[in-house]
Amino acid sequence: MPDRHADRLLEAAARIILGKERELRLAFACLIARGHLLVEDLPGVGKTTLAHVFARLLGLQFQRIQFTSDLLPADIVGVSVFDRETSLFRFHPGPLFAQLILADEINRATPKTQSALLEAMEERQVTADGRTLTLPTPFFVIATQNPANQIGTFPLPESQLDRFLMRIHLGYPGRAAERALLMGEDRRRLLERQNPVLSIDELRALQHAAQDVTVADALIDYVQALLAATRADTALAAGLSPRAGLALIAAARAWALIEGRDHVLPEDVQTVFPHVAGHRLHLAGDARGLPPASLQRLLQSVALR
Amino acid sequence: MFAERVRRAGEPPLSPGTLPAPSLTPGQGLWLLAAAAVTLAPHTAYFPPWLSGLCTLLLGWRAWLSWQRQPPPHRLLLLALTLASAVGVRYAFGHFFGKDPGVALLALLLCLKLLEIRRARDIRSAVLLCFFMQLAIFFEDQSLPVAALAVCGTWLAIVALLALADPNAGHRAQLRTGALLLGHGMPFMLMLFLLFPRVQGPLWGLPADAASARSGLSDTMSPGSISDLGESPEIAFRAEFTGPLPEPAARYWRGPVLTQFDGRTWRTSSSPESATPSYTPAGRRFDYRMTLEPHNQRWLLALDFPGPAAAALRFSSANQALLPRALQSRSRFELSAWPDTPTGLHESTVVLAAALTLPDGYNPRSRELAARLTAGGGSDAAVLERVIAHLRGSDLTYTLRPPLLGRHSVDEFLFDVRRGFCEHFASAFTVLMRAAGVPARVVAGYQGGEVNPIDGNLVVRQSDAHAWTEVWLAGRGWVRVDPTALAAPQRIAAGLAAALPEGEALPLMMRQDLGWLRDLRHRWDALSNAWNQRVLGYNPDRQRELLARLGFARTDWTMLVGLLSGITVALLGALLAWASWQRRARDPLERNWQAFCSRMARAGHPRAPWEGPMDYGLRLAAALPQQADALLEITTTYARLRYGAARERADIRALKRQMDELELR
């Protein structure tokens, strides 16, 4: 049962990241939908741990890239080095060649480096020295962004934000969860002892199963009504694109699968909608993403027939 | 539904100050153009050529503008065009007041209206004009194809209105909706047709129509006058026999009887009329119903010899059945015929004397021949036999294209050209008989007819026009002699086409080898006959008959109005019921869910419009903990049925049961 796999993984992850079941589910849904995840939050709330948890529990090759303003594309993609013995250039793969990448503080890098990463995310391959190199599968990028301290950063343009299937906020843990965190063992050491609970094949099975989740005509009607509502809303700079609609359905399918259903409900769409649409929409005359309250208002403006 | 759609679209949002762009979308333009073209097409047959051409040009201009996406032409140009066409109409018809110039003006205005369409209101008025023009064509023509075209035009005009209401709908969907709306109107149309108080005479027959000339027999006959009709496939009348049909040789339909001859032309002479025939019908009897096309004459063209009939007939002393007044519209008569009746046994001497006169100075050779043939003496019957024998031996040819004849037409026919049509034969034979001292006269009418295998009716066309001779013999009265049969016996037995010599060009429809074409024509004739009988022939009498058969004996207008309004209400009710049933039947699952939500709303827990079924179920379960399981079960089942892959009718029934069993406390 593929949905059992999901439960198993989420239970194990919840033991390590306390009080963040919903965010973990969203992140896992993003992974199952073969999308990339943007985590936006203050430092120290467990963004990095989230990436570690998925890498460990799924047994994925993990690479962390700390983005800085002097990071060059070659630093992440890799470089060709001249080999004196063979008189040939040999390509040394960069940290991008891993199954799970944590791109920390992605907005600190220059647009050139950002776009090298984003291009790899979209194409799932890189081109170096005229050769096309396929990236490993699964290929999953968790990028983090610090929204508070924006001095000296290069905010991702809208077109690049579109490459992320979902954006989530972690936020401060609840009181009980924080207490357990403070009293408990160090999370990293806990993680090191943890064995993978899901094989890569099982993850692939989940990804396939998600594609088979039924999307009824009535649900398509609802998604279209949602898209139309974003396009009709004059307060927004622009409505959602058809690609955003596809992303919405893919995310909703993965969410439904995690919930153990073989069909998508409007509730699934409503759950993932703020995370799929939030970074793709912004108010006219305001470059920042849409606040959650506006997203909820938007959802409530669309009647479900 | 239609009104709702129209209201939804309303006027396009144009601010009054700005000059609006052409608001006609290509779809609307197409439908309007098609509606106008189909509407005006049948009119062109009755328009002067310049008017048809102008309408075509204007419509073509409209099409070109739509094609090029150009704005409509300038108002001043249109104004000038309108004035010019009004002047043209005034010049062509001589006046503005009357049906023909009125219809012509409206046609031009419709075309011009299409050119100045800027907003929704213009489209609506153009569609209204289309509707009006579709009615106007019935002034001229009420045949089946015109009616079918009018229905098509109405359909297209409705589709144009639909395109105005919802420009983005697909063409196919618009056509379907238009057809559906027409279908909704059908029962009302049928009801009004059957029950609306009828007026006597054709509904559309205007006085102007009556005087128009019609082709057909005339009351004179000269060489060439009947052979002109020989090529006309127009129907003169139809006869529907209740029993067996008379044999072809007895199918003589009597028209005017021509007694006066001036050397070239035969004319009728005035003869007294009476309400009963001068003969006593005897022998075999044939009953039939005749549908006579209007010919603007008084004669009935009854089968020889008619007896007293239900209709108020008059009988001339020459045994011709006459109507009280000239026939202006297609009419039906129930008639009987006694073909073996002896007539004129006691003919007056005045009539017989008139049947012997010949003008002096004409046809000397014929008179000489007659003198030779009578030289042997003997009775009139013996002379008759000798003249017949002579004609049979003189190698005369029957042809649809006789050569022109000069002053002595009978002489030239008998001795020189020896080619002629029935009027030549009848004329020559009658002249010979008169010259021989035997009273004789020419009878014009129709002979034969074609049995339509589709409906069994006998169809008699103008090409069946014929002329024959009646000879008076003492003791036998008037005896019919058909001299054409001497040269071409096939003419009587099998019709014109069979009698003509090999190689003579025949009108297309008469060709024997085009069997499929004849079959097609038979079918078309049967169809138009049914249309004429059932639709156009639906007069006050038949309406009374129908109502009597339905059990309504009293048929004054209050009864009709009561019946009309009753049926209208019933039809409207049926339509409304059908519409609501359609909506209900659309999705039983949705219907049940809506009912469930309404019930919960009445219990104080309305569903938010955006709320999904599972969320709603959770909220309800929290609010009504006693029924939590049942509520969750219902909402979960509904969610699965609505959004899941498989949906079974049984599942929906089970859900309905669950909802019914739910008790709220």
Side-chain angles (χ1 to χ4, degrees), chain B residues 151-212:
Chain B
V151 170
C152 280
T154 312
W155 184 22
L156 287 171
I158 289 177
V159 172
L161 278 183
L162 288 173
L164 167 67
D166 187 2
N168 298 323
H171 290 227
R172 203 178 281 239
Q174 279 167 342
L175 277 174
R176 206 171 36 234
T177 312
L180 193 69
L181 287 169
L182 268 189
H184 288 170
M186 273 308 159
F188 293 94
M189 187 193 81
L190 268 180
M191 178 196 66
L192 285 172
F193 173 74
L194 289 177
L195 297 182
F196 195 83
R198 313 290 297 186
V199 290
Q200 187 74 49
L203 186 56
W204 308 96
L206 290 182
D209 290 357
S212 59

Side-chain angles (χ1 to χ4, degrees), chain B residues 517-537:
Chain B
L517 201 60
R518 291 165 64 81
D519 183 56
L520 205 65
R521 185 169 68 150
H522 281 315
R523 281 175 195 283
W524 177 245
D525 277 349
L527 193 65
S528 12
N529 187 35
W531 171 260
N532 291 341
Q533 303 283 349
R534 306 258 156 74
V535 180
L536 300 183

Side-chain angles (χ1 to χ4, degrees), chain B residues 69 205 300 316:
Chain B
R69 307 202 170 218
L300 186 62
S316 78

Side-chain angles (χ1 to χ4, degrees), chain B residues 72-112:
Chain B
H74 197 272
R75 281 177 199 277
L76 281 180
L77 177 60
L78 285 177
L79 188 67
L81 263 175
T82 311
L83 286 176
S85 26
V87 168
V89 168
R90 174 78 174 76
Y91 183 77
F93 292 91
H95 56 99
F96 276 134
F97 306 101
K99 180 197 66 177
D100 292 340
V103 170
L105 263 185
L106 279 179
L108 282 170
L109 288 182
L110 173 59
C111 297
L112 288 166

Side-chain angles (χ1 to χ4, degrees), chain A residues 214 216 218-219 222 261 263-267 270 299-300 302-305, chain B residues 590 594 607 609-616 638-640 642-645:
Chain A
T214 302
L219 191 98
Y222 178 58
R261 255 183 286 105
H263 54 271
V264 180
L265 290 184
E267 284 88 337
Q270 289 171 353
L299 272 180
Q300 294 182 1
V302 178
L304 185 64
R305 307 172 160 275
Chain B
E590 271 316 280
Q594 297 295 346
R607 186 177 74 91
W610 49 272
E611 202 170 17
M614 297 287 268
D615 285 350
Y616 187 42
Y638 166 73
R640 178 169 56 79
R642 178 128 166 94
Y643 296 103

